[in-house]
Amino acid sequence: MFKKFKKNHHQSQSADIGALDLQKIPQHIAIIMDGNGRWAKQRKMPRVKGHYQGMETIKTITRAASDLNVKYLTLYAFSTENWSRPQEEVNYIMGLPVNFLNTFLPELIEKNVKVETIGFIDELPPKTIQAIEEAKLKTADNTGLTLIFAINYGGRAEIMKGIQNMIKAHKHASDRDIEQLTEQHFAQYLMTSDFPDPDLLIRTSGEQRISNFLIWQLSYSEFIFNDKMWPDFDETELKACIKTYQSRQRRFGGL
Ligand code: FPP
């Protein structure tokens, strides 16, 4: 009994998820893919093995999201703070988009998935940039799921960049004009300007933090913390999260 309560409390119920309401699938799901290192450690394997397995989970979840007709899936792959990790680990992670796209781009194309990124992409190693640019180009006209990788992304850095660009664009504006600027206008200067705000944020591995991810865009999103390490997250867990999301009432500050 206590065990059951505890499980529900942590929003990680993998059994008996029941049928999903297909009319209420979240349009945009954002995920903080956490726990790769711990997953590997638990198995006495090097951390990078966890990242490799995490990449495989990205394929699983992309397929599942596409099948469920989710329109946008944003995945936090590398933060502006992750550069402080050991060089070897950073190098390995930077190779993963290359591996991922080498092995998965044909299926992305077949599934009508469009690849996009947010983050300071121009600061990545050339091979990583090249793989990403090729994937974007080859999927540019696709109209199904939009798969957005946040790479070298940080919410505060994104907002600062947006403020700088907005100031440059309004250099000669009067105080009165500046005071008329709206939230909607500012959002045009964010890296997410082409996408709606996430309806649902999922963070795996039991950690309950936002870690500088989409800090503007998540203002009214539902948060679900799932106990699985990212390499163990799967379609069943995703559906359980969506089921929980569907049981919530979103009010956007109203009644
Ligand atoms: C968090 O786990 C995971 C990361 C910082 C890296 C995630 C990257 C991938 C899954 C691959 C990216 C691939 C593509 C295709 C873009 P952690 O290392 O913080 O785990 P821990 O908290 O257990 O140490």
Side-chain angles (χ1 to χ4, degrees), residues 33-39 47 51 54-55 58 76-77 82 85 89 93 96-97 100 149 151 229-230:
M33 310 182 285
D34 197 10
N36 292 345
R38 275 164 286 162
W39 181 91
R47 289 179 56 83
H51 295 314
M55 177 193 71
I58 293 177
Y76 203 7
N82 285 151
R85 293 189 176 206
E89 182 173 343
I93 294 176
L96 283 176
F100 176 82
F149 287 107
I151 309 182
M229 300 298 150
W230 175 250

Side-chain angles (χ1 to χ4, degrees), residues 203-222:
R203 181 172 189 146
T204 59
S205 89
E207 302 294 335
Q208 304 192 358
R209 289 187 295 280
I210 193 165
S211 299
N212 204 14
F213 188 43
L214 298 174
I215 52 177
W216 171 279
Q217 298 86 345
L218 291 170
S219 292
Y220 288 101
S221 311
E222 294 295 328

